[in-house]
Amino acid sequence: MKQRLVVIGNGMAGARAVEEILARGGADMFQITMFGDEPYGNYNRTRLGRVLTGEDSETDLVINPLQWYRQHDIALHTGRRVERVDKFSRHVFASNGRVVEYDLLIIATGSHSFLPPMDGLHTPSGTIRHGVFTFRTLDDARRMVQFARQKDHHRAAVIGGGPFGPEAAHGLEAQGLEVEVHAGSRTTAILGSDRIAGLGFRDQPNLDCDMVVVTAGIRPNVDVAVVSGLAVERGIVVDDHLRVMDEEEIYAVGECVQHRGEVYGTVPPLWEQAAVLADHVTGVDRSSMYLGTRTLPLNTAGALLAPAGGK
């Protein structure tokens, strides 16, 4: 009888882990269920800048289309966030009320854009102001293109460094906007009332703009782990087998993970972690260990780097 394997997260880490499990005969071992926040199959977010410039279509980014999940008999719940895990009864609880039981669980919740504290960033209700964008998802790229193409928008400012900052700037320039990148200045405020009017700085004159993109780094998504009583510090704490600390049936992989004190925001660690996890989950190689990756750890300027082969 197949074991029930549930994967929370359908991004590059979660989908890669499932690919590695399938490559080790996992289809014969597991009944696989996946949950993803976004309403799509898995796509390559490292190429989002090419969507901004128009060099790639949204379809070009797809790694695993929805048909791939059906072909591998994977139950995929798109646009569904898992809100908590009951590790004692081994159930996950999704935002739409769906409850799924598991024998083994993989958490691959990824990361989110870091928004540094700035006056005027949020509306009175707490939402991000219209005209302010992060750059992490396909929906982010789509909204940025739509906003940039409106005839009364002429000048954008990109706050932050890392690979995604220049990519955002280049993409918006391709959409016809004048772009300013601010990586070395402390932004203190987003100006304007009804619409964005500019940026205020601690040590420079104000800058006029009508669109702001924040690429100031990323932070691990750990909310579901915290609520569920799992070991969390900067990220979800895992051992060298990618098993969550003090848990026998729960693994974690990708940008949400903290391993030996490090969290990573690049693709090579994700690939290496997924392979080790798959070795253990399938039993193909119980001696397999992840010992860390020789790459830059995640910091305030962290972002994904393009993986080899364009995937």
Side-chain angles (χ1 to χ4, degrees), residues 35-259:
F35 288 88
D37 286 356
E38 298 180 73
Y40 318 107
N42 177 36
Y43 64 89
N44 186 349
R45 70 177 70 253
T46 69
R47 295 175 64 176
L48 286 171
R50 297 176 65 87
V51 173
L52 284 186
T53 62
E55 297 171 272
D56 281 353
S57 69
E58 295 181 4
T59 303
D60 293 328
L61 271 62
V62 174
I63 299 173
N64 303 111
L66 295 177
Q67 181 182 3
W68 178 85
Y69 299 86
R70 292 191 292 268
Q71 289 174 341
H72 292 281
D73 198 26
I74 297 170
L76 173 64
H77 302 283
T78 59
R80 296 290 181 262
R81 179 184 293 267
V82 171
E83 296 182 332
R84 70 181 179 92
V85 175
D86 187 327
K87 63 183 182 178
F88 301 105
S89 69
R90 299 183 188 175
H91 288 83
V92 299
F93 298 81
S95 57
N96 64 340
R98 183 179 291 273
V99 180
V100 177
E101 190 172 3
Y102 67 85
D103 297 302
L104 289 174
L105 176 67
I106 298 172
I107 301 176
T109 45
S111 62
H112 61 275
S113 296
F114 171 66
L115 293 171
M118 293 178 284
D119 292 339
L121 177 62
H122 296 96
T123 66
S125 64
T127 60
I128 297 177
R129 288 182 58 185
H130 184 61
V132 179
F133 300 86
T134 56
F135 188 34
R136 290 288 298 159
T137 69
L138 186 56
D139 284 343
D140 289 338
R142 183 181 294 151
R143 287 191 291 262
M144 288 165 65
V145 169
Q146 292 173 346
F147 192 86
R149 288 178 176 175
Q150 295 178 22
K151 62 181 180 180
D152 57 342
H153 298 148
H154 307 289
R155 194 175 191 187
V158 180
I159 301 172
F164 276 14
E167 286 188 6
H170 179 58
L172 293 175
E173 285 177 338
Q175 296 296 330
L177 297 186
E178 179 183 348
V179 182
E180 299 285 340
V181 178
H182 282 266
S185 301
R186 173 69 181 273
T187 307
T188 58
I190 297 177
L191 309 175
S193 52
D194 294 337
R195 55 177 291 165
I196 303 299
L199 295 179
F201 300 102
R202 181 175 60 186
D203 52 2
Q204 294 185 25
N206 293 345
L207 173 72
D208 293 336
C209 65
D210 42 42
M211 179 179 184
V212 175
V213 180
V214 183
T215 61
I218 55 179
R219 296 292 185 271
N221 288 325
V222 297
D223 288 354
V224 68
V226 172
V227 168
S228 305
L230 304 181
V232 176
E233 293 176 1
R234 294 168 62 206
I236 303 171
V237 182
V238 297
D239 63 19
D240 291 345
H241 307 313
L242 282 303
R243 185 180 281 113
V244 175
M245 198 62 65
D246 300 322
E247 306 296 337
E248 287 297 319
E249 298 85 18
I250 305 177
Y251 293 78
V253 63
E255 294 173 347
C256 65
V257 159
Q258 177 181 320
H259 172 265

Side-chain angles (χ1 to χ4, degrees), residues 291-308:
L291 302 178
T293 302
R294 296 175 62 87
T295 186
L296 291 175
L298 175 63
N299 55 36
T300 55
L304 284 170
L305 300 178

Side-chain angles (χ1 to χ4, degrees), residues 3 5 16-32 104-106 241-243 248-249 251 273-288:
Q3 289 187 296
L5 173 63
R16 180 63 175 229
V18 171
E19 287 178 344
E20 295 281 3
I21 290 169
L22 293 175
R24 291 160 175 77
D28 295 327
M29 305 177 195
F30 301 111
Q31 174 188 327
I32 303 174
L104 289 174
L105 176 67
I106 298 172
H241 307 313
L242 282 303
R243 185 180 281 113
E248 287 297 319
E249 298 85 18
Y251 293 78
Q273 291 173 6
V276 172
L277 183 154
D279 284 341
H280 281 271
V281 165
T282 60
V284 166
D285 183 2
R286 298 286 188 184
S287 66
S288 181

